[in-house]
Amino acid sequence: MPHKPPTQEELEKRKIVGVNLETVTDVSSTDFPGHYPGEDHAWDIERFKRGFSVEFHQNDPHEASFSLIGIDASIANAFRRIMIADVPTLAIENVFVWNNTSVIQDEVLAHRLGLIPFTGGREGLTDFLKWYRKPANGDPAECKDFNTVALELNVKCEHNENADPNEADPTKLYHHAHVYAKDIVFKPIGRQVDYFSGEDIIRPVNPDILIAKLRPGQEINVQMHMHKGVGSDHAKFSPVATASYRIMPTITITQPILGRDAEKFQRCFPKGVIGLEKVTAEEAAQKGSGYEGHEGELKAVVVDPKSDTVSREALRHEEFKDKVKLGRRRDHFIYLVESTGQWKSDAIFLESVSHLKAKAKALEKQLVNMVR
């Protein structure tokens, strides 16, 4: 018996993970060869191109939100992991303490300095700076302009002779009572001045990050070396504060929800997800629509399912149980990327695409060599 091709409605239904009151259904992927008799689900690049799309919801330098539609969960998660662990940044790796008479121990101070995010020219980071290879004997002569960036922090707390004798604020009583990230000075060497100057200079993302508190007679004098690294080595090298995704929620109203029920239904969801509209004359005149005789009454409509948290609150009320279906679309991933400042948020994702492409080519090369 020849099999009929699936309808568009059936194809869309296959993409939905059902969210019920106490269970989750249709969690297994079915888009692979042999699952549906008579259907060819072998991967095809042209079919992928037709079904794939990108939608941006927010694109700011430090935060971006966008949707990838039409990809597999494994690929979506690969992008997330690469953004966290494989996109390179600069961070303080070595701290040379010449004098530290503050109350903060040397090790804690070095740790705090290492976690400060810095900005810097992208061209200098990706094209000029190379990976630092630590020599076996620890010889500092291996530090060159193309693999090491030097910083300095030299601050001493002193009395402010012009302060009011009755002043209680230590920041007014003393000079450098608080040591901030803005007190760190970049010391370019060699060709670094060509890549890290002007808007591209290496400086803390937030100049007001508090490093330590000092009192008269205390000082901090340290030199620091920054190296290029990735988040898989240490979290301080990760270019993102957050890189996460969630699956697109779906809300289907199967029967009309009217009047006070509509207002109650709206309150079951986060603000903006469900809207209220008046039943039009055309809807009230349409037989079988469920709106007959309700012209002018409020009805519930889905406005922004993307903002839903899938709390299932609506399913806990008997009056809504058979009137709404909740789910998630398995091939629609909503990303949130928050940059620490060295990369723009959208550039981090584009860089992750390049990294995944390079990994795929490396795997292909290994497979070819293995067959040979």
Side-chain angles (χ1 to χ4, degrees), residues 191-207:
R191 290 176 294 164
Q192 290 177 1
V193 71
D194 298 329
Y195 293 92
F196 303 112
S197 59
E199 290 296 320
D200 294 331
I201 194 170
I202 293 175
R203 62 182 181 272
V205 173
N206 185 348

Side-chain angles (χ1 to χ4, degrees), residues 101-113:
T101 55
S102 70
V103 296
I104 300 180
Q105 299 95 328
D106 294 351
E107 295 83 355
V108 177
L109 177 62
H111 183 260
R112 290 174 69 88
L113 292 170

Side-chain angles (χ1 to χ4, degrees), residues 87-311:
V87 176
T89 65
L90 278 175
I92 295 173
E93 179 71 7
N94 297 319
V95 178
F96 304 94
V97 182
W98 302 113
N99 194 8
N100 175 26
T101 55
S102 70
V103 296
I104 300 180
Q105 299 95 328
D106 294 351
E107 295 83 355
V108 177
L109 177 62
H111 183 260
R112 290 174 69 88
L113 292 170
L115 294 178
I116 297 175
F118 285 81
T119 64
R122 181 176 172 182
E123 183 183 359
L125 173 65
T126 57
D127 300 335
F128 172 66
L129 288 178
K130 309 302 179 185
W131 300 102
Y132 177 80
R133 304 301 179 188
K134 188 175 181 180
N137 58 2
D139 186 2
E142 291 294 327
C143 296
K144 306 294 184 181
D145 62 344
F146 57 81
N147 65 13
T148 302
V149 174
L151 304 172
E152 185 178 87
L153 176 61
N154 189 2
V155 178
K156 184 176 182 180
C157 183
E158 297 175 333
H159 285 280
N160 180 9
E161 296 178 356
N162 299 322
D164 190 316
N166 297 321
E167 182 62 62
D169 186 353
T171 60
K172 297 179 180 179
L173 272 174
Y174 318 119
H175 295 298
H176 300 299
H178 292 175
V179 182
Y180 294 101
K182 61 186 176 185
D183 296 317
I184 298 175
V185 180
F186 167 49
K187 297 290 186 179
I189 54 176
R191 290 176 294 164
Q192 290 177 1
V193 71
D194 298 329
Y195 293 92
F196 303 112
S197 59
E199 290 296 320
D200 294 331
I201 194 170
I202 293 175
R203 62 182 181 272
V205 173
N206 185 348
D208 296 324
I209 296 175
L210 182 64
I211 298 175
K213 293 183 179 181
L214 303 180
R215 290 300 178 263
Q218 296 179 345
E219 67 175 296
I220 295 177
N221 183 3
V222 298
Q223 291 182 346
M224 297 153 280
H225 285 175
M226 300 179 76
H227 298 307
K228 190 175 175 179
V230 292
S232 56
D233 290 335
H234 195 287
K236 67 184 178 184
F237 291 112
S238 181
V240 295
T242 296
S244 61
Y245 65 77
R246 56 193 178 93
I247 306 176
M248 178 70 170
T250 61
I251 304 169
T252 306
I253 298 176
T254 57
Q255 298 179 34
I257 303 176
L258 303 166
R260 291 188 175 180
D261 281 352
E263 296 177 0
K264 181 179 179 180
F265 185 74
Q266 185 185 45
R267 294 194 296 271
C268 292
F269 296 86
K271 186 177 180 180
V273 175
I274 301 297
L276 300 177
E277 297 179 359
K278 289 186 177 181
V279 177
T280 64
E282 291 79 4
E283 290 172 328
Q286 186 178 355
K287 291 184 179 180
S289 65
Y291 296 119
E292 299 97 324
H294 295 283
E295 181 181 350
E297 287 189 38
L298 292 176
K299 65 174 181 176
V301 295
V302 180
V303 177
D304 183 19
K306 177 174 67 68
S307 299
D308 187 29
T309 58
V310 195
S311 66

